[in-house]
Amino acid sequence: MFKLLFFILAAGSLPLSLMAIEPAAPLAVRVKSRSPGTASGAKISSDPRAQKKTPRARGPVALAPPKLSAEEMRINSRIAQAFEVEEEARFGKPPAVKLSEDHIPRVYAPATGNLVPKSKAQCETTPDASKKLGPVRSQGGLGWCFAVVAADLLSAETGKRLSHADLALQFYRNVPNMKATDRFGNPMRPDPSVIEFWSGVTDQAVKQGAERGVCTEAEVSSDDFMLETLTARNLDIGRDIVPLKAVGANVLHSIEESVGKTLDQMAEFPQETCFSVQDAMMLLPKLNSFQVIAALSSARSKEEAIHWLFQQGCRREPLGLKKDWKFRTFQSLPERSAMPGTDLLPKIDEALKAGKPVAMGFDAKRYSAYGANDPSVKRLLHAAILVKREFRAGQCMYLVRDSQGPGCMSFAPPYNDADHCERGQYWVTEQDLAETTLEVSRFE
Amino acid sequence: MSLKIWLVLGLCLFSTFASAEEALTCQSGLYRYRYNGSMHEDPSKFCFDQARSQLRSASCLGGNCEALSQKICDLAAPPGGSQGGARFCRALGGFLQQGAFYDGKAWWDLDRCLFTADISFVDSGSLSARRARCFERKAP
């Protein structure tokens, strides 16, 4: 009994002690490295076949559906079914609503490269959309910028601070064929055993959130220190692929080890059990150690325990978006111009004038402290949000809300100086945007 | 003649260091972070800039601390648009904490990369900036 009391108390009081504990064995295998996708999941292809398939329309045109072989479609279908089963086992309920792709339409912008700088009169100050978004988020070392952006935009629509960790986990569970095609619809080989915690598609993440609801940050913490550390167990510098389900896997594995043990058994192995309890609590901060221990000791299977924990920790209420909501993406064709974002600027301006934040997929090399001067970094594909436009220092400038936390040192000069950077957000020129933006997305 | 040159060079070097030091204010304060659903506060002595966008433990002011003595120039750049500083932190053996520091008047959100060997720390963005300087030196 004293042992039990000891580990319950220990569960909430030893922040640094876990650092020395060896990580749980990873559940999954690592896959062969391949080039990182964009922040939005798109890939830049140098394949001439890809360019032949590119529509040559003058105005925006609808994106052709991906062309998959029958075998690839069968594999994708099987993966999707498997993930559906897993999702239901874990959370006990199917999506609240099933949405079609009509909610997240994509169109091409022509990328003419004709940039006409705006005068002061043409660049009136827009409302600061960041006021709807709360503090700047931090993505840590993970490649989930797309989920941060999607969570921020959904938060702006719903008025709740939604969890980008939950949104990313849902995305990786439910969009298994995200890597099945590149941006030109060319099939890529889907790998049913792999979920990469590295890149994603902003609009698909928005769709997942709208279908299934998203936990709030208070329910599923995205920036808990130990959540970061857990993830880091699978992260090594230089690896471009993070082994599976980086956030969830170790936690779930740890929970699995404890399921079905009686309280007496738990008391015999306090450190092991303590680790599981802490894992569950950091993923679901609203649960206390007693609730977690009760779930672990009474559940008959891992699924049952996890189902119970998530049901108690986060109910994923529907987001309450308007029935006719649309999240439209305008995609440029970077092969056509050195300034692929030129024709995306009017789309950005429209939204900012209406006080709406705009998601942006872009090449962040010039803005990044670690990427700007490093000759080994050819391109840094990233996602962020544009929140304001203003005429500053004689030119029209845009405020980028990044996900590197509230500091400025992650950005390269001059974007990190006091004239450009404001607590994790930095000003860029319209020329910068024209040269680096690859796609923009916004709620209509 | 050469003595004058050395004197001028010395003054230049001194003013560079001096201005870098001046940019940071050092004091005793608190760093808080959430762990296991609850807040923890560590008292420590640290330094920060006027915009509160840089943070380092006072022990790092002269650069002689674990957080700043690691060989960051040897690290490869992480691919994609992740927060490079966070990955550098881990690769160097540090622990990333996402929290806030108290400067006596207000709490300022800023992460820190903590090195347990000497309990020194620096914000992750400063690690990225430090690595960027590796390439500046190599430039002709």
Side-chain angles (χ1 to χ4, degrees):
Chain A
M1 190 60 197
F2 284 116
K3 284 179 182 174
L4 177 63
L5 186 62
F6 169 76
F7 84 76
I8 289 172
L9 291 173
S13 63
L14 289 173
L16 291 177
S17 63
L18 278 185
M19 292 172 184
I21 295 173
E22 283 297 307
L27 285 182
V29 290
R30 186 165 168 258
V31 288
K32 286 178 186 173
S33 147
R34 54 178 139 160
S35 62
T38 71
S40 60
K43 289 224 172 211
I44 311 301
S45 172
S46 57
D47 183 354
R49 289 174 306 159
Q51 294 182 21
K52 276 182 188 174
K53 289 179 182 177
T54 305
R56 290 187 169 275
R58 290 181 189 278
V61 294
L63 179 64
K67 292 172 184 172
L68 298 178
S69 70
E71 175 65 8
E72 285 166 336
M73 287 175 71
R74 193 180 62 76
I75 292 171
N76 281 351
S77 170
R78 203 173 62 200
I79 299 166
Q81 282 172 13
F83 275 81
E84 197 69 36
V85 169
E86 187 183 359
E87 176 76 0
E88 287 194 33
R90 212 171 272 175
F91 298 104
K93 60 181 179 184
V97 285
K98 272 282 186 186
L99 299 171
S100 74
E101 300 293 306
D102 293 343
H103 287 272
I104 50 170
R106 282 186 161 245
V107 293
Y108 280 125
T112 59
N114 300 325
L115 176 67
V116 181
K118 295 184 192 70
S119 66
K120 187 173 183 180
Q122 293 168 322
C123 181
E124 70 272 30
T125 302
T126 63
D128 186 354
S130 69
K131 289 180 178 168
K132 297 178 180 175
L133 303 175
V136 168
R137 298 182 189 234
S138 178
Q139 67 179 90
L142 296 178
W144 58 4
C145 51
F146 75 98
V148 174
V149 167
D152 254 351
L153 294 188
L154 283 168
S155 298
E157 289 293 306
T158 60
K160 298 174 188 168
R161 178 89 167 165
L162 301 173
S163 164
H164 60 265
D166 182 52
L167 199 52
L169 287 168
Q170 289 196 66
F171 176 86
Y172 289 118
R173 274 196 295 265
N174 301 312
V175 190
N177 58 349
M178 58 164 281
K179 292 280 184 183
T181 62
D182 65 17
R183 61 186 291 152
F184 300 101
N186 298 321
M188 298 164 63
R189 197 174 70 181
D191 184 339
S193 69
V194 171
I195 300 173
E196 294 173 7
F197 214 115
W198 191 245
S199 65
V201 189
T202 301
D203 56 5
Q204 288 289 344
V206 166
K207 180 168 173 273
Q208 286 299 313
E211 281 186 336
R212 295 166 186 269
V214 187
C215 302
T216 63
E217 279 292 339
E219 292 165 330
V220 172
S221 169
S222 302
D223 56 11
D224 187 278
F225 165 50
M226 281 305 294
L227 183 66
E228 285 277 327
T229 305
L230 258 190
T231 311
R233 288 175 186 158
N234 283 334
L235 276 172
D236 278 335
I237 200 81
R239 283 189 187 176
D240 59 347
I241 303 290
V242 179
L244 322 178
K245 300 177 185 176
V247 169
N250 280 325
V251 175
L252 301 181
H253 179 69
S254 177
I255 291 169
E256 185 178 33
E257 284 182 341
S258 296
V259 165
K261 285 182 180 162
T262 64
L263 290 177
D264 286 343
Q265 286 173 318
M266 284 184 172
E268 274 185 52
F269 307 98
Q271 189 178 43
E272 183 190 324
T273 309
C274 174
F275 193 27
S276 303
V277 172
Q278 292 203 3
D279 279 351
M281 285 172 63
M282 77 191 141
L283 193 63
L284 301 154
K286 286 209 163 180
L287 297 183
N288 62 40
S289 53
F290 295 97
Q291 289 173 300
V292 175
I293 290 166
L296 297 180
S297 59
S298 61
R300 289 164 298 184
S301 67
K302 178 184 75 168
E303 284 73 20
E304 199 174 292
I306 292 164
H307 164 68
W308 189 91
L309 288 170
F310 272 79
Q311 284 294 307
Q312 294 297 315
C314 168
R315 294 186 185 279
R316 278 194 183 148
E317 301 293 341
L319 294 180
L321 297 172
K322 292 174 188 170
K323 274 189 178 174
D324 57 345
W325 69 271
K326 275 200 194 308
F327 186 76
R328 193 180 298 275
T329 298
F330 301 91
Q331 199 168 310
S332 73
L333 302 169
E335 306 76 17
R336 290 191 176 179
S337 166
M339 293 200 287
T342 314
D343 295 275
L344 300 174
L345 286 171
K347 312 298 180 192
I348 295 168
D349 289 328
E350 285 170 15
L352 292 180
K353 279 182 195 172
K356 283 186 173 285
V358 186
M360 167 176 71
F362 65 114
D363 179 358
K365 177 176 165 65
R366 75 174 60 175
Y367 312 117
S368 161
Y370 76 84
N373 294 328
D374 186 341
S376 72
V377 177
K378 303 300 179 198
R379 181 180 278 153
L380 272 180
L381 296 161
H382 190 33
I385 302 176
L386 293 161
V387 289
K388 192 179 179 183
R389 186 187 72 180
E390 191 175 286
F391 200 78
R392 297 163 64 95
Q395 51 190 331
C396 197
M397 299 185 82
Y398 295 78
L399 187 58
V400 178
R401 177 189 170 88
D402 212 309
S403 47
Q404 317 280 312
C408 295
M409 299 304 287
S410 296
F411 311 124
Y415 307 101
N416 63 357
D417 66 26
D419 291 334
H420 288 78
C421 185
E422 302 171 4
R423 304 292 299 163
Q425 303 185 135
Y426 54 92
W427 290 95
V428 301
T429 65
E430 55 183 337
Q431 175 93 16
D432 284 330
L433 282 189
E435 290 173 356
T436 59
T437 310
L438 301 171
E439 67 176 40
V440 295
S441 310
R442 64 192 195 192
F443 274 101
E444 300 289 275
Chain B
M1 183 65 186
S2 62
L3 183 66
K4 283 182 183 175
I5 293 172
W6 280 112
L7 191 63
V8 170
L9 275 173
L11 282 173
C12 289
L13 280 172
F14 175 77
S15 58
T16 307
F17 287 131
S19 62
E21 299 290 312
E22 272 173 15
L24 299 178
T25 302
C26 298
Q27 64 177 58
S28 294
L30 295 170
Y31 189 87
R32 77 178 178 197
Y33 58 96
R34 204 160 62 81
Y35 173 80
N36 242 357
S38 61
M39 278 295 178
H40 295 256
E41 290 183 357
D42 286 350
S44 59
K45 192 170 183 184
F46 49 68
C47 310
F48 49 85
D49 65 340
Q50 194 176 2
R52 275 42 170 191
S53 65
Q54 291 182 58
L55 177 71
R56 63 182 59 176
S57 56
S59 60
C60 286
L61 201 58
N64 296 321
C65 66
E66 189 73 13
L68 294 179
S69 62
Q70 304 274 346
K71 291 184 177 176
I72 200 167
C73 295
D74 298 338
L75 297 179
S82 72
Q83 194 176 338
R87 293 172 68 106
F88 295 141
C89 171
R90 288 172 187 135
L92 295 172
F95 295 93
L96 188 69
Q97 294 179 323
Q98 293 181 351
F101 68 93
Y102 187 66
D103 67 356
K105 293 178 182 172
W107 287 98
W108 298 88
D109 287 339
L110 200 59
D111 65 13
R112 69 174 182 176
C113 180
L114 177 69
F115 290 80
T116 51
D118 60 354
I119 319 294
S120 63
F121 55 86
V122 62
D123 68 282
S124 71
S126 290
L127 290 177
S128 285
R130 195 168 148 248
R131 184 175 176 278
R133 285 196 287 276
C134 306
F135 300 99
E136 284 171 9
R137 283 200 290 273
K138 285 178 187 172

